[in-house]
Amino acid sequence: GAVVSQHPSRVICKSGTSVKIECRSLDFQATTMFWYRQFPKKSLMLMATSNEGSKATYEQGVEKDKFLINHASLTLSTLTVTSAHPEDSSFYICSAPSDNSYNSPLHFGNGTRLTVT
Amino acid sequence: QKEVEQNSGPLSVPEGAIASLNCTYSDRVSQSFFWYRQYSGKSPELIMSIYSNGDKEDGRFTAQLNKASQYVSLLIRDSQPSDSATYLCAVPRGNAGNMLTFGGGTRLMVKP
């Protein structure tokens, strides 16, 4: 089955620093990847759609200059949280459809637990 | 009205019983529906997908879809303590087939 690898699984950083999270599709090519954020005991909220070779599409209320997304190849998308603050502490999860067909289900990476101190 | 609604639970069932999880959605044009299981501290994993009205069975899991009522459910037969998790219903947003909107999730507790 489709495998999505996410790294790191856990990161602790100081306020004001930047953190990069990588998301890779291991056995398939992903022209589109999705980045979600999940706060404790809440559901997944879509942050942005990462598009290979073009700009990401951000959801309303998500600051594109704060959450930088780069999708430079068909197997790698990165999310950089810039100038992180404690309120950015959350569980960040990337996902990708296993193929480009309509209705293809999403497969998720293992997530990144970000703690900003 | 939220796009995808689930009872947050917790839903508590004894081991061996049938657990019934429900989900309603607002977008009538939705064509595909997904159930994900999420253990605490982990990312969601796909359990079932269903695209047509009626029932779809996979092992102990049965997904039921009623597009007229905008309702999709997940039945878990012979529930096991290892089934204890949060179950998320997901529906594509509008015509964006792969962009999923998630319900709030139902926490299931299976007691030995």
Side-chain angles (χ1 to χ4, degrees), chain B residues 4-58:
Chain B
V4 183
E5 291 205 56
Q6 296 180 254
N7 188 319
S8 62
L11 172 65
S12 182
V13 300
E15 183 175 356
I18 296 176
S20 178
L21 306 162
N22 305 316
C23 172
T24 58
Y25 59 94
S26 60
D27 192 345
R28 288 190 169 275
V29 302
S30 296
Q31 295 295 315
S32 54
F33 307 86
F34 305 97
W35 282 100
Y36 286 83
R37 177 176 62 198
Q38 186 176 26
Y39 291 112
S40 181
K42 304 295 184 181
S43 66
E45 55 180 321
L46 181 68
I47 296 178
M48 293 278 287
S49 58
I50 186 166
Y51 306 101
S52 305
N53 277 328
D55 295 0
K56 178 182 178 182
E57 186 175 319
D58 184 0

Side-chain angles (χ1 to χ4, degrees), chain A residues 32 34 36 38 41-44 46 49 59 91 93 97 99-111 113, chain B residues 31-32 34 36 38 41-46 49 51 88 92-105:
Chain A
T32 302
F34 300 96
Y36 287 84
Q38 187 176 36
K41 300 190 185 300
K42 300 293 184 181
S43 191
L44 283 77
L46 180 65
T49 303
E59 293 299 297
F91 191 45
I93 319 172
D99 57 57
N100 293 322
S101 63
Y102 189 78
N103 294 333
S104 178
L106 293 184
H107 298 273
F108 286 85
N110 288 332
R113 177 83 53 195
Chain B
Q31 295 295 315
S32 54
F34 305 97
Y36 286 83
Q38 186 176 26
K42 304 295 184 181
S43 66
E45 55 180 321
L46 181 68
S49 58
Y51 306 101
L88 301 164
R93 179 189 301 182
N95 292 321
N98 301 132
M99 188 184 297
L100 298 182
T101 297
F102 285 84

